Amino acid sequence: RSPEKFAHMCPDSYSFLSSPLFSARLVREFVAQNNTAQIKHVIQILSQEFALSQHPHSRKGGLIGLAACSIALGKDSGLYLKELIEPVLTCFNDADSRLRYYACEALYNIVKVARGSVLPHFNVLFDGLSKLAADPDPNVKSGSELLDRLLKDIVTESNKFDLVGFIPLLRERIYSNNQYARQFIISWILVLESVPDINLLDYLPEILDGLFQILGDNSKEIRKMCEVALGEFLKEIKKNPSSVKFAEMANILVIHCQASDDLIQLTAMCWMREFIQLAGRVMLPYSSGILTAVLPCLSYDDRKKSIKEVANVCNQSLMKLVIPEDDETDEGKQSLSLQMEPKEESLSQQEVTSSGKSFSSCDSNLSSASVFNVSSTERVPVTLNLDGIVQVLDCHLHDTAIGMMTRIAVLKWLYHLYIKTPRKMFRHTDSLFPILLRTLSDESDEVILKDLEVLAEIASSPAGQTEDQGPCDGSDTRSGQLELHIPVVKASQLSSSGMKGMECSPSTPTMNSYFYKFMINLLKRFSSERKLLETRGAFIIRQLCLLLNAENIFHSMADILLREEDLKFASTMVHTLNTILLTSSELFQLRNQLKDLKTPESRNLFCCLYRSWCHNPVTTVSLCFLTQNYKHAYDLIQKFGDLEVTVDFLTEVDKLVQLIECPIFTYLRLQLLDVKNNPYLIKALYGLLMLLPQSSAFQLLSHRLQCVPNPELLQTTDSTKTTLGFKKATSTNIDYLELLQHFERVQNKHLEVRHQRTGRGEPQDRRVVL
């Protein structure tokens, strides 16, 4: 028979073999007599002697006979279902496709008669049907579909379906790789999801992983069915979030958010977005796993734009879950209950910390390492797994292959954590510090900006102030780079203006103990990576002046450079700092502070800068011009005659002349109008003119000096009436003679080092050949 026929035939129309027909008549008689023993005996004979016979024709007759007995039993067939069903299901495995078809036909009739009575045997029926769904014979497969529809109708109309007993079988079979078996499973999930009396959502954690596996099937039809099923579940989750076991499904989503299949990844990411927004802080224990999955997606290109956008929402939503209360000490932490509303959230689970660890490379098992076994209780203690989050962020920063947007997101996370949970984050600062410094070499300006924000927060946060500040010599060499050589300097070797350099804290209380360490390590970075200094040095320092106190930065760097043994680097660094000081708009306030030297603080800063600026003669003169110490500038230029004049030296003089023509020194050029009170300014400029060869810079400065009115007033002697410039110099209480002697000592050291390099055959400065 064809499947279309056997589903609609009336029981009386079957043309059975003689023995099954006779058995059916006997069964009717035994039913009328209520002879249960004889009924079981007839079913046993049909089962053992026929349905399970070795002869194909006997098996066929036995199957038809069992179906006939079921029809004869009518409503009483439910009493004998086990005996009727088992032999039929055995024939589902028959090698003969015709017998498998007859078995399907027989079971259809048995189920049609028994209806709801078959539900206690649902699992064995489902198991048998799942096998027939993948049957290679089209007739058998079609017959199984008819039986499947009948069974679905029965389940749908009944309120006695045992979902609890069915879930283990569903969980097992959902991992089938067979295309038809998957289609069969999804169809049943859709049916069960549509029945109001069946709450499949409670058991979603049992089958969610399998559903995502099926979502990656090669068949478009099956993928679409699975999408629909997952969509229905997500709709129900949004309607009833209070009954959803978010915690038990979090790690499943973490795994599939990292899938290579775009559809699986996008779907899992959408689920993750909803979970974070609906469950709130319930998702915090899984933050490290979520970040492992989400962060790489932020660097996707337009081909995966949808995934990138959803991942960005996940990242932002997760970041908002971190609150200042997460920074409470573990001992005094209050309990946060896992309610949906953030107002009712609190912390109770003690957080395990492992500060001081550094992770230099990503572990392939990182996502599984952050998997938590959360019980399915209604109230679970929740806590911020800060150690796990920092491990993931550190890992991504070390990964040179990650995209720019991911690096930016990582740095935003670190900044956010330092803002919200500073005390706990400072446990990890020592391990994060080296990679944050290395990130300053990044190709992206935006990455560097975010990195500087993190470093600035570390350097200025009150949580970073420690009583035991440790050594101040920047001996931390985690970065593996060339160190700055800062020898111990006796206090007597420094004036009062330089004594602050011996402390680990900067000159104002707004910075913490990490600030000075940051400055030392930043200069180490510049020293070991000169390309970074050349290409990004000015950019980095200017941004730091915006983020932190500019006076602190210049004061601390000057202190450090004063004790730097690599004199060539010190000279280069001083030149860079001087250029920034004189030209950057960010330093406008600091320049005004230095211009008049009216306060003790400004004079202290001038002396500190001066001592380090002495590493570079021309920058020292420019500092004097900036601070209007024109007589001292003239005295310095007089000393230039004793220095070894090189091409590089003359080049710097050339640049200083160009700088004098810039807006920064407008006030200096205007002071040339007052020849009487600024004789040493004019002398200093003429001194520069005399140093220069007759180049374009010479012509520029010469033309400027020609504009000075009343040249005859340039003549002056020591007996002349005290000038304004001299009054200014003496009123500042600065020992200019001692500064001049310091300048000579520093330049003598530079001369010695140059001669030593020459003796070793190292490249020397370009000399002027006359």
Side-chain angles (χ1 to χ4, degrees):
R1 300 180 183 89
S2 66
E4 291 76 10
K5 290 182 179 180
F6 83 77
H8 305 289
M9 292 181 65
C10 178
D12 293 336
S13 65
Y14 281 93
S15 178
F16 295 112
L17 297 176
S18 56
S19 56
L21 181 60
F22 176 69
S23 298
R25 290 175 180 172
L26 284 177
V27 169
R28 284 197 184 96
E29 292 176 5
F30 293 145
V31 169
Q33 299 169 6
N34 197 24
N35 192 337
T36 303
Q38 290 298 330
I39 294 173
K40 287 185 176 180
H41 183 62
V42 171
I43 294 174
Q44 184 179 8
I45 292 174
L46 288 171
S47 173
Q48 299 297 326
E49 301 297 330
F50 290 91
L52 301 178
S53 170
Q54 297 294 322
H55 197 278
H57 292 294
S58 297
R59 292 201 297 275
K60 177 183 176 183
L63 290 169
I64 296 174
L66 288 171
C69 286
S70 176
I71 293 168
L73 286 168
K75 62 179 181 179
D76 294 330
S77 62
L79 301 173
Y80 309 96
L81 278 176
K82 187 174 185 298
E83 292 82 359
L84 290 168
I85 290 174
E86 285 184 353
V88 177
L89 290 175
T90 302
C91 292
F92 277 9
N93 298 319
D94 200 288
D96 189 345
S97 61
R98 290 176 299 175
L99 278 169
R100 295 199 302 275
Y101 173 79
Y102 277 109
C104 189
E105 178 185 24
L107 188 58
Y108 179 90
N109 284 284
I110 294 171
V111 171
K112 186 175 183 179
V113 172
R115 301 296 295 183
S117 300
V118 302
L119 290 178
H121 307 277
F122 178 80
N123 279 10
V124 293
L125 295 175
F126 182 88
D127 182 52
L129 269 176
S130 65
K131 296 175 182 176
L132 290 186
D135 198 284
D137 187 274
N139 288 328
V140 176
K141 193 171 179 300
S142 298
S144 70
E145 290 173 357
L146 291 172
L147 176 58
D148 180 55
R149 284 201 291 269
L150 174 61
L151 200 57
K152 285 174 180 173
D153 290 340
I154 294 172
V155 169
T156 302
E157 67 189 20
S158 173
N159 58 359
K160 297 181 180 179
F161 180 72
D162 183 13
L163 182 61
V164 176
F166 172 61
I167 288 298
L169 178 61
L170 179 61
R171 184 178 61 238
E172 175 191 344
R173 293 304 168 89
I174 202 170
Y175 287 104
S176 172
N177 291 323
N178 184 277
Q179 184 177 351
Y180 297 106
R182 283 180 164 183
Q183 191 171 17
F184 172 78
I185 292 291
I186 291 295
S187 67
W188 268 101
I189 290 175
L190 286 169
V191 168
L192 295 176
E193 176 63 16
S194 66
V195 179
D197 294 334
I198 297 177
N199 187 12
L200 195 57
L201 188 62
D202 285 346
Y203 303 94
L204 184 56
E206 305 286 331
I207 61 173
L208 184 61
D209 179 60
L211 284 171
F212 275 105
Q213 299 271 7
I214 295 176
L215 191 60
D217 195 272
N218 294 326
S219 168
K220 291 183 179 179
E221 182 181 355
I222 294 175
R223 289 165 73 98
K224 186 63 179 176
M225 287 178 64
C226 193
E227 267 193 280
V228 172
L230 286 168
E232 291 299 319
F233 277 121
L234 194 56
K235 287 180 184 178
E236 193 169 346
I237 287 172
K238 292 178 182 179
K239 290 179 183 178
N240 306 290
S242 59
S243 61
V244 178
K245 300 174 181 177
F246 291 104
E248 295 184 18
M249 294 183 280
N251 288 315
I252 297 172
L253 296 183
V254 167
I255 292 170
H256 292 290
C257 280
Q258 302 173 71
S260 57
D261 184 281
D262 288 355
L263 179 59
I264 294 177
Q265 189 177 28
L266 176 60
T267 306
M269 200 68 73
C270 289
W271 276 61
M272 184 66 77
R273 175 189 62 195
E274 299 300 331
F275 272 37
I276 296 172
Q277 293 176 352
L278 293 172
R281 288 176 60 86
V282 174
M283 302 298 289
L284 272 184
Y286 310 95
S287 299
S288 55
I290 295 171
L291 288 175
T292 301
V294 167
L295 288 174
C297 302
L298 301 179
S299 293
Y300 283 173
D301 54 25
D302 289 341
R303 290 174 296 178
K304 295 185 178 182
K305 184 179 179 181
S306 299
I307 299 174
K308 178 180 179 179
E309 290 174 350
V310 179
N312 186 56
V313 175
C314 289
N315 182 57
Q316 296 296 327
S317 300
L318 186 64
M319 190 180 293
K320 291 177 182 177
L321 298 180
V322 181
I323 56 178
E325 284 75 6
D326 290 323
D327 201 32
E328 294 178 2
T329 58
D330 296 334
E331 296 78 7
K333 194 181 297 179
Q334 298 178 352
S335 296
L336 290 177
S337 61
L338 290 182
Q339 303 296 327
M340 291 293 101
E341 296 79 13
K343 294 180 181 179
E344 301 180 10
E345 297 163 355
S346 59
L347 292 169
S348 64
Q349 183 177 342
Q350 186 172 7
E351 182 178 2
V352 179
T353 60
S354 58
S355 60
K357 295 182 180 179
S358 178
F359 303 86
S360 59
S361 60
C362 279
D363 185 356
S364 60
N365 296 323
L366 186 58
S367 60
S368 62
S370 55
V371 170
F372 298 82
N373 294 322
V374 179
S375 61
S376 58
T377 55
E378 293 182 2
R379 298 170 68 87
V380 182
V382 75
T383 185
L384 177 68
N385 178 32
L386 189 63
D387 292 345
I389 293 176
V390 172
Q391 176 183 347
V392 172
L393 298 176
D394 185 79
C395 173
H396 279 80
L397 275 185
H398 277 91
D399 185 3
T400 56
I402 64 171
M404 179 189 72
M405 297 308 298
T406 298
R407 296 197 298 277
I408 291 173
V410 168
L411 294 167
K412 284 182 177 179
W413 259 102
L414 289 173
Y415 181 76
H416 183 73
L417 292 173
Y418 271 109
I419 293 293
K420 298 295 183 181
T421 60
R423 286 183 293 179
K424 289 183 178 179
M425 276 302 294
F426 268 95
R427 302 172 186 173
H428 302 277
T429 298
D430 289 340
S431 63
L432 289 171
F433 213 63
I435 186 60
L436 288 172
L437 285 168
R438 284 200 289 275
T439 305
L440 292 175
S441 302
D442 197 274
E443 297 177 354
S444 166
D445 286 350
E446 194 171 352
V447 172
I448 295 176
L449 281 174
K450 295 300 176 186
D451 190 36
L452 289 172
E453 287 182 10
V454 178
L455 288 166
E457 183 60 29
I458 291 174
S460 61
S461 173
Q465 188 64 53
T466 57
E467 294 181 4
D468 182 15
Q469 296 174 354
C472 304
D473 60 356
S475 58
D476 184 359
T477 57
R478 294 173 188 265
S479 61
Q481 302 293 343
L482 183 65
E483 292 186 55
L484 279 180
H485 302 286
I486 303 177
V488 176
V489 181
K490 296 180 181 179
S492 60
Q493 292 178 280
L494 299 175
S495 67
S496 59
S497 64
M499 284 303 294
K500 290 186 179 180
M502 301 304 296
E503 302 173 358
C504 285
S505 59
S507 59
T508 64
T510 57
M511 302 295 108
N512 61 36
S513 56
Y514 280 91
F515 174 80
Y516 206 77
K517 296 176 183 178
F518 175 31
M519 292 298 103
I520 290 174
N521 282 280
L522 179 60
L523 288 175
K524 281 184 185 180
R525 193 77 186 165
F526 287 149
S527 176
S528 61
E529 194 174 340
R530 297 300 173 87
K531 185 178 179 181
L532 175 64
L533 176 60
E534 294 171 6
T535 58
R536 298 291 179 80
F539 172 73
I540 290 172
I541 295 171
R542 288 172 61 185
Q543 293 304 318
L544 284 176
C545 289
L546 290 175
L547 295 167
L548 297 171
N549 185 287
E551 179 183 350
N552 286 345
I553 291 171
F554 274 78
H555 199 297
S556 59
M557 285 190 170
D559 282 341
I560 297 166
L561 290 171
L562 181 60
R563 292 170 278 156
E564 166 60 23
E565 289 185 344
D566 185 349
L567 299 184
K568 189 171 183 180
F569 166 71
S571 177
T572 303
M573 194 68 223
V574 162
H575 177 74
T576 302
L577 290 171
N578 186 69
T579 303
I580 297 169
L581 176 63
L582 294 180
T583 61
S584 299
S585 58
E586 294 86 355
L587 277 298
F588 175 79
Q589 185 176 353
L590 188 60
R591 283 195 297 272
N592 280 346
Q593 181 180 342
L594 288 168
K595 188 180 294 183
D596 296 322
L597 300 180
K598 293 179 179 179
T599 64
E601 291 78 15
S602 62
R603 293 192 289 272
N604 188 337
L605 178 60
F606 165 72
C607 291
C608 177
L609 295 181
Y610 181 94
R611 293 178 179 279
S612 289
W613 262 230
C614 286
H615 283 296
N616 191 306
V618 180
T619 61
T620 312
V621 171
S622 66
L623 179 64
C624 291
F625 281 160
L626 174 66
T627 56
Q628 303 183 63
N629 284 298
Y630 301 133
K631 183 179 186 305
H632 192 70
Y634 171 71
D635 292 338
L636 284 173
I637 293 173
Q638 290 289 89
K639 295 290 182 181
F640 285 4
D642 300 328
L643 300 180
E644 187 176 23
V645 179
T646 66
V647 172
D648 290 336
F649 175 87
L650 293 178
T651 301
E652 290 191 20
V653 175
D654 188 298
K655 290 179 180 178
L656 177 57
V657 171
Q658 303 289 339
L659 196 60
I660 290 172
E661 296 297 320
C662 293
I664 289 294
F665 281 115
T666 299
Y667 69 91
L668 181 146
R669 297 195 300 273
L670 288 174
Q671 287 174 350
L672 292 174
L673 297 173
D674 188 1
V675 177
K676 182 178 180 180
N677 290 320
N678 295 289
Y680 288 105
L681 169 59
I682 299 172
K683 281 191 171 188
L685 294 177
Y686 268 108
L688 292 179
L689 187 67
M690 295 303 107
L691 286 172
L692 287 169
Q694 295 195 17
S695 60
S696 58
F698 176 90
Q699 298 296 330
L700 186 64
L701 184 55
S702 176
H703 290 160
R704 172 64 63 184
L705 290 172
Q706 288 173 14
C707 298
V708 175
N710 302 320
E712 59 274 9
L713 294 179
L714 290 177
Q715 297 178 359
T716 182
T717 62
D718 293 339
S719 60
T720 306
K721 187 178 180 181
T722 304
T723 63
L724 180 62
F726 182 72
K727 285 182 180 179
K728 176 182 180 299
T730 56
S731 64
T732 57
N733 298 320
I734 295 175
D735 188 349
Y736 285 96
L737 178 59
E738 193 275 334
L739 291 179
L740 197 60
Q741 292 171 352
H742 175 78
F743 174 81
E744 291 176 341
R745 288 196 299 270
V746 172
Q747 285 304 308
N748 286 334
K749 286 183 181 180
H750 277 266
L751 184 60
E752 291 174 8
V753 170
R754 282 199 294 270
H755 289 169
Q756 289 173 4
R757 286 206 305 268
T758 304
R760 292 195 299 265
E762 295 180 10
Q764 54 183 304
D765 297 336
R766 292 173 293 165
R767 299 178 184 275
V768 177
V769 181
L770 300 178

